[in-house]
Amino acid sequence: MTPPETPVTSDEENPVQATGAAGVHGALARYRVMAYIVGVGLLALCFSMVMEYGFDEDRYTALVGPVHGFLYIVYLVATVDLAIKARWSMKGTVLVMLSGVVPFVSFVAERSVSRKVREGVRL
């Protein structure tokens, strides 16, 4: 005897809380991790730029710059993945993507995005 299957439902207005919205929680976790990593990396990049232009020490920027650039690309991929699964608008997606460019904004955006995704609000 097989157990009864639970029906998969679709909710166009609130895709995050729908039972058929598979992968949103995993995408949110990946986004949150990358938002913190990129935020800390951007602060390190700012520090390295102060060292380069203020104290003529360019070795820090040579190391931190490419690493931050690579991690920012991974952040963009994680953001697009979450945006597709949570059905964000183009404007909301672009604004979240740009939050990794300004120091400290990625931390604020991460909190806002996490709250809204958990509540099922579209960006």
Side-chain angles (χ1 to χ4, degrees), residues 81-105:
D81 179 42
L82 180 59
I84 290 170
K85 290 179 179 170
R87 297 183 183 172
W88 292 353
S89 67
M90 183 64 76
K91 178 184 174 184
T93 303
V94 170
L95 288 175
V96 172
M97 292 169 91
L98 289 175
S99 71
V101 176
V102 182
F104 297 108
V105 175

Side-chain angles (χ1 to χ4, degrees), residues 9-61:
T9 59
S10 175
D11 187 0
E12 292 296 323
E13 293 297 319
N14 197 352
V16 177
Q17 292 181 349
T19 58
V24 174
H25 297 293
L28 178 61
R30 287 187 295 274
Y31 164 76
R32 292 186 70 198
V33 168
M34 289 311 303
Y36 279 110
I37 290 172
V38 166
V40 171
L42 187 57
L43 294 176
L45 183 63
C46 290
F47 170 77
S48 68
M49 290 176 68
V50 167
M51 294 300 290
E52 179 178 1
Y53 295 115
F55 301 102
D56 202 27
E57 290 285 333
D58 59 349
R59 63 182 171 196
Y60 300 111
T61 306

